[in-house]
Amino acid sequence: MSKKHLENADMETAMSRVDGRVKVMGAAKYTAEVQLPELTYGVLVESTIGQGVITALDTKKAEWAPGVIAVISHLNTPGVPEYKLQNQDVIQKQLRVFDSPNIYYNGQPIAVVVADTFERARYAASLVKVTYAKQQSYSNLEDNLSKAVVPKKAKSDPKGFTTDFLRGKAEAFRDAEFQVNEEYIQPSEAHHPMEPHSIIATWEAADKLTLVDKTQGSQQTAASIAKSFQLPPENVKVLSTYVGGAFGSALRVWPHEIVAILAAKKVQKPVKLVLHRNQMSYMVGYRPYTLQKVAIGASKDGKIVGLSHASYGKTSMYEEFTENVLIMSRMMYDIPNVDTKYRIVPLNVSTPAPMRGPGEATGSFALECAMDELSYKLNMDPIALRLANYASQDPDKKMPWSSNYLKECYELGAEKIGWNKRKAQPDANQEGEWKIGYGVATGTFGAFRGGASAKATFKPDGTLLLQSAIADIGPGTATSMTAIAAKNLGLAPEKISFQLGNSTFPKAPMQGGSNTVATVGSAIVATCDNLKVELAKRAAVQKPEWKNAIAKNIKIVGTQLINSDDASSKVEIASLFSQDNLAELVVKGDAAPGEESKKYSFYSFSVHFIEAHVHELTGVVKIKNAVSVIDCGTVVSPKTARSQSMGGIVGGIGMALMEEVVLDDRTGRTVTASFGDYHVPVQADIPQMDMMFVNERDPYLNPMGSKGLGEIVIIGVAPAVANAVYNATGKRVRDLPITPDKLI
Amino acid sequence: MIENNTREKEEKELSGNSRRDFLKKSSVITAIALTPVAAVKASDLKLDEKLSDAIEQMPLSIEINGQQHNLKVEPRTTLLDLLRERLKLTGTKKGCDQGQCGACTVHIDGVRALSCLQLAVMNDGAKITTIEGLSDGDKLHPMQEAFIKHDGFQCGYCTPGQIMSAVACIHEGHANSETEIREFMSGNICRCGAYANIVNAIKEVKEGGAI
């Protein structure tokens, strides 16, 4: 392992989370914990049928219950102005809240009870009586495949991954000597961040709204709400200072947020609405149930001749949801003939949402399992098979990679997990009652960068405040941004504070799609550079040689400003303020991507190795060892990067072994709404884990040399587990999760 | 459709701040044998709120983080909601509200418990410790320090519950091996997946002998 590569992180010396103290003290205020005067509580009433029409809604008892201020439904909603501007016939929008008596899915919000305490609102919600004209609902994908449609996005974005695609010859796998042709099922998965989705809505004036809201994008939520309620954009303020996880569930405005705003309008007081855990399964999206058909054909030497990949995913009756399930099949391997087909099936379910590694995690499960199956048919090592089809440039965009260290990833990980202990034949390695197997799979996700701004406020005592609207759902954004600023300026991290999660702060993207460090980090670099140039300008008043100083050579060391080009020219920071009687210095910085994406193809890569032990009698799977090797460019914050990667393995283990949203297709009702029924990994499920980072700079994406991390750490984990289970048992499970009943 | 005229009339009756109107209409009238006229009068005098105090709420004497509270609470109020909504001690988190996630873990008389599964009134005379009471003023508890050092969290929402459980895990004598820690910490879900770091934090505190 070269010196540059990072293995795990030195916990003694690596920088700890800057918000660690408030979090371990319980002092960090998440959405539902913000205190406001005259706060009222909203509790949702939801539909109990999958499709139909409300014929009567009896709210009398609820209204007369103690403490109840209002019951709001389609009968008395103040209304969402945007709905009137929409074409009522075209159902391609988010669910129109309380807009009609129509029911599109089981669990749809149909009323809200507002009371002076949570207990009173909850009780009164149970008193609302609903009568329906019930219709048959349809929620099973396989039963309704005939309703599959090409998404509208395929037409509006013909170069996207939902459009039917052909490179070379269609179904070329049929000509090959060795073939795999199988179906794979990814069931629906719920994000279930530990903090339930919450909002506190307050109308400050008839046209002015403040929201404390769980969101991955304060500015995007503000813009969306301003549009819905036809308010001047600057009159909607959104705060999301602390977000207790999201994994994609808070990337858009959901019906419960609209409900809270409508309720606050009705009662003219702040309304707090917190979803119950069980509502988190269907109120805020989910990874959609997806059926995939993958066929690969290869010659004897392992060279893949053709790949065909089709995907059928669930969506709601009122809105199309699409994701990049097929991207990896187009770009991961050097295959001359590739055809892909993407379809969605509108059903009586709520709209899905991107969930960590959206699409790609689903697609990689099918592709990387199929690759594994092919390796056994060829009697070839799975790593050798992947290397035989390694793409030295992006075969989809036909452009060079900005950086690609996949070969290093395979090599480092194989050594770490002890790949040489793997038996080439399945079901050939046993210790006592446990069958042992090893699996590998690859992950990839586009490395993106958007535009962002930041603001710096620098004080004579050398403290620096940085601000950005970006959210932090857990990766440690304030920490990585502080690290970037500290490195750029030379300033001690303790001198820097980073404020985020406020729509009035400088422009930032949503925290999603692994682009925060690349995007906001670049704005921080630009802002810090501007600050240094500004300081140099002021220093030139005292010492003219500062006129020629360039940002990269300027550093703040202790109380002094230093120019590494000219050591004698140092000046006291405080004097730069006192010379002009300044109390503080405020500078801004903007950063945006350039033309680089026209020249290079940007992707992050990961390779995951799993050692699984399967009990021969009970079929219980224990993951013993997990190794992730990650090519995410330069690692900006080693401690938090390692934690984020471990979280990816944990999420991947859940996906592989236990997570499944089950619907009762007779009613469309979610059966597995609670943690008692929807299992997520707990302490006892967790293996020994090793995180390895190639830590080689990407030269083109951003000034830090980084690429995205948050998605690639989960993409590929589930197929690595499935492949390890096959190696252990000889049983190929193609429908997740791999529960014991499928192995005995 | 419900007849709009009736609804409007009812809404008028219910409008404003007459949220205690229930006395006029609910079965409480019969329960306390007031005539309707007397009930309306009682409502106007806000006697209904006082009445509510008497019939809907129970006295509760409870010590939280060393501070004595003498309260009146509804019997249906959970300890968790009492802490979060009434006493503004929001360090204790609500993750599932049904005893499945561990985010609301507190110590009751030194023993870890899920505060969402406790009615507040069940704890009359009890001593409760929440995350806010764990540190010694500004000086963090060793477990809190270890969580920071080992990065035992990401989003931080499950963290107070994890820390309260971790401290109890050691006190119970259930932190003697990694396997044992994992078993006895499995009631606390961390969706960000900081589990391995949490184990390392607990191991360090246990080995350090500070608690």
Side-chain angles (χ1 to χ4, degrees), chain A residues 521-533:
Chain A
S522 298
I524 294 298
V525 168
T527 306
C528 290
D529 282 349
N530 289 350
L531 174 64
K532 289 193 288 190
V533 169

Side-chain angles (χ1 to χ4, degrees), chain A residues 102-178:
Chain A
N102 297 341
I103 301 299
Y104 301 100
Y105 63 92
N106 204 321
Q108 179 180 323
I110 54 176
V112 64
V113 175
V114 184
D116 61 349
T117 72
F118 167 63
E119 290 85 353
R120 285 167 160 178
R122 184 179 57 188
Y123 172 65
S126 74
L127 300 175
V128 175
K129 293 278 172 283
V130 191
T131 314
Y132 303 98
K134 198 170 150 186
Q135 294 158 17
Q136 178 61 46
S137 66
Y138 303 92
S139 55
N140 184 288
L141 185 110
E142 280 86 348
D143 291 349
N144 294 284
L145 271 182
S146 60
K147 296 174 188 164
V149 295
V150 178
K152 291 203 162 52
K153 194 180 175 189
K155 285 158 208 156
S156 64
D157 179 22
K159 286 188 173 171
F161 296 95
T162 59
T163 312
D164 284 4
F165 171 79
L166 175 64
R167 175 162 79 232
K169 186 184 161 194
E171 299 198 354
F173 71 92
R174 294 192 189 282
D175 308 332
E177 190 181 351
F178 294 87

Side-chain angles (χ1 to χ4, degrees), chain A residues 22-67:
Chain A
V22 286
K23 285 184 174 178
V24 300
M25 292 181 81
K29 298 279 180 217
Y30 297 81
T31 292
E33 299 163 359
V34 172
Q35 307 298 331
L36 291 171
E38 289 199 278
L39 189 65
T40 65
Y41 295 78
V43 169
L44 292 172
V45 179
E46 57 188 50
S47 73
T48 54
I49 64 164
Q51 180 151 251
V53 179
I54 300 169
T55 53
L57 193 70
D58 182 357
T59 59
K60 271 195 231 85
K61 269 192 175 172
E63 283 165 357
W64 291 348

Side-chain angles (χ1 to χ4, degrees), chain A residues 457-464 489-492 495 528 531-540 542-543 546 554-563 569-585:
Chain A
T457 307
F458 193 47
K459 301 232 165 147
D461 62 359
T463 57
L464 177 70
L489 296 168
L491 207 55
K495 292 268 191 186
C528 290
L531 174 64
K532 289 193 288 190
V533 169
E534 183 62 31
L535 288 170
K537 210 162 81 189
R538 288 166 191 279
Q542 295 178 24
K543 296 185 177 177
W546 276 98
I554 304 170
K555 286 272 180 288
I556 298 165
V557 178
T559 61
Q560 294 177 321
L561 192 69
I562 308 277
N563 184 354
S569 65
K570 57 188 165 194
V571 292
E572 286 295 320
I573 299 278
S575 71
L576 303 177
F577 290 84
S578 58
Q579 72 189 20
D580 296 320
N581 272 329
L582 274 183
E584 62 185 29
L585 200 54

Side-chain angles (χ1 to χ4, degrees), chain A residues 323-391:
Chain A
E323 54 184 6
N324 293 339
V325 176
L326 302 171
I327 188 168
M328 196 166 164
S329 286
R330 279 167 58 168
M331 50 63 70
M332 190 71 219
Y333 298 109
D334 185 22
I335 306 171
N337 304 297
V338 176
D339 57 288
T340 67
K341 190 169 96 169
Y342 188 82
R343 299 289 181 271
I344 49 174
V345 184
L347 295 166
N348 293 111
V349 294
S350 58
T351 307
M355 180 169 166
R356 199 173 197 180
E360 285 83 344
T362 299
S364 82
F365 164 62
L367 176 65
E368 290 295 288
C369 282
M371 288 293 283
D372 199 63
E373 298 200 42
L374 180 64
S375 77
Y376 286 94
K377 291 209 168 166
L378 290 160
N379 197 21
M380 190 173 179
D381 183 281
I383 297 175
L385 173 64
R386 286 170 173 85
L387 289 173
N389 294 283
Y390 174 80

Side-chain angles (χ1 to χ4, degrees), chain A residues 11 52 55 117 130 148 192 271 336 392 401 463 521 575 583 714 728:
Chain A
M11 303 309 272
T55 53
T117 72
V130 191
H192 278 311
V271 172
S392 54
W401 307 113
T463 57
S575 71
I714 190 170

Side-chain angles (χ1 to χ4, degrees), chain A residues 502-520:
Chain A
N502 183 327
S503 64
T504 67
F505 287 170
K507 177 188 147 184
M510 288 195 279
Q511 180 155 73
S514 303
N515 86 112
T516 301
V517 168
T519 303
V520 183

